[in-house]
Amino acid sequence: MIRLLKAFWACFAGAYAISTQYRAEFLLYMLSGVTPLIMMFVWISIARTGAVDGHGGAWFAAYFLVAYGVRQFNPIWLTRELDSEVRLGRLSVQLMRPLNPYWRLLAWHVSDMAIRGPIVFLFIPLALWISGGYAELSFENAPFFVLAAVAGMLLHFHMEYLLGLSAFWTDQSLAFEGFYLTLFSLLGGLVVPINLFPEAVRDLILLTPFPYIFGFPAGIALGVPDNAALLRGFLIQGGWLLVLGSLGQILWRRGLRRYGAAGA
């Protein structure tokens, strides 16, 4: 375990050093994830004509600002990187190293979070203060929010990892990613808060992994789920993590056999 942690830290430090050389590119990536901010203004405009399910403009500002913050800790690059490594044969170099490429990719993912963090932590508090969203936050739920956000990050990482592994069998993994990102936005709470869906639709959505990436953590920050819903949400989130993690291990082993058989 200690050797793994040291190796992970070395990968993280290397990824962080490389990424900081492309700060302008990171700012562009952050700007590309502004869907929650756009939807914030849309829902605030709607709320001006009357409360939506009892929520006013300040509530929507707080929700989408928190969702934007969570979104920034879920970068979208893993599928493309893994797809490129498999198709171009660059994965062979990674396989010669003593560390499973999974940990290198996770270290890159975490380094992205470390770079985006200071910018997000400066912008969101200011935006919450200007919009009046602070009054809508449930600060006593902060530990649960952090736990849900970290678990959501790992959910997104494993979803992208699985899509990237599909490159062992098909050259359409990026097309799958496009479909995933559509569901990721529509069912994840980036366009419509999960609690505003009709009850029957909401119950179905809550069985999928998508709302537990953004909508569930954002809802916790605003005190939306009661204790029973909070426990159920964590159980489903943990269940999906277990399923996706196990599936990733299976596909990795089978994909490597196919990759080796192709002569790489």
Side-chain angles (χ1 to χ4, degrees), residues 195-216:
N195 61 302
L196 295 187
F197 281 98
E199 184 177 358
V201 176
R202 182 173 66 246
D203 289 344
L204 289 175
I205 292 174
L206 290 175
L207 294 177
T208 72
F210 302 106
Y212 300 98
I213 301 174
F214 306 116
F216 182 58

Side-chain angles (χ1 to χ4, degrees), residues 24-205:
E25 182 180 355
F26 260 91
L27 288 175
L28 291 177
Y29 278 142
M30 293 183 70
L31 290 175
S32 69
V34 296
T35 298
L37 299 184
I38 295 172
M39 296 312 303
M40 175 183 71
F41 290 114
V42 171
W43 282 99
I44 287 175
S45 297
I46 294 173
R48 284 175 181 165
T49 63
V52 181
D53 197 33
H55 303 312
W59 188 92
F60 286 108
Y63 174 88
F64 283 106
L65 284 169
V66 172
Y68 172 75
V70 176
R71 166 69 182 82
Q72 291 307 313
F73 291 119
N74 289 276
I76 301 168
W77 59 270
L78 176 56
T79 298
R80 300 174 191 181
E81 177 68 17
L82 198 48
D83 172 82
S84 176
E85 289 187 353
V86 172
R87 289 190 299 104
L88 301 180
R90 291 191 285 110
L91 182 62
S92 300
V93 178
Q94 303 300 331
L95 293 175
M96 296 176 65
R97 298 176 177 177
L99 185 67
N100 189 315
Y102 169 92
W103 297 106
R104 176 182 59 86
L105 295 169
L106 182 59
W108 275 89
H109 198 82
V110 175
S111 74
D112 278 3
M113 295 170 54
I115 294 173
R116 295 166 186 246
I119 301 174
V120 172
F121 290 139
L122 286 173
F123 167 73
I124 291 182
L126 178 61
L128 285 170
W129 176 69
I130 294 173
S131 65
Y134 267 121
E136 303 293 336
L137 297 179
S138 179
F139 291 100
E140 62 271 18
N141 282 350
F144 299 116
F145 165 73
V146 172
L147 178 61
V150 172
M153 179 275 290
L154 291 173
L155 265 180
H156 171 64
F157 174 83
H158 283 95
M159 291 289 285
E160 289 254 315
Y161 181 66
L162 289 175
L163 291 171
L165 291 178
S166 69
F168 284 122
W169 292 272
T170 177
D171 59 358
Q172 298 298 315
S173 60
L174 296 186
F176 295 150
E177 184 193 37
F179 180 66
Y180 162 67
L181 293 179
T182 300
L183 296 177
F184 162 97
S185 297
L186 294 178
L187 305 183
L190 293 183
V191 176
V192 180
I194 302 300
N195 61 302
L196 295 187
F197 281 98
E199 184 177 358
V201 176
R202 182 173 66 246
D203 289 344
L204 289 175
I205 292 174

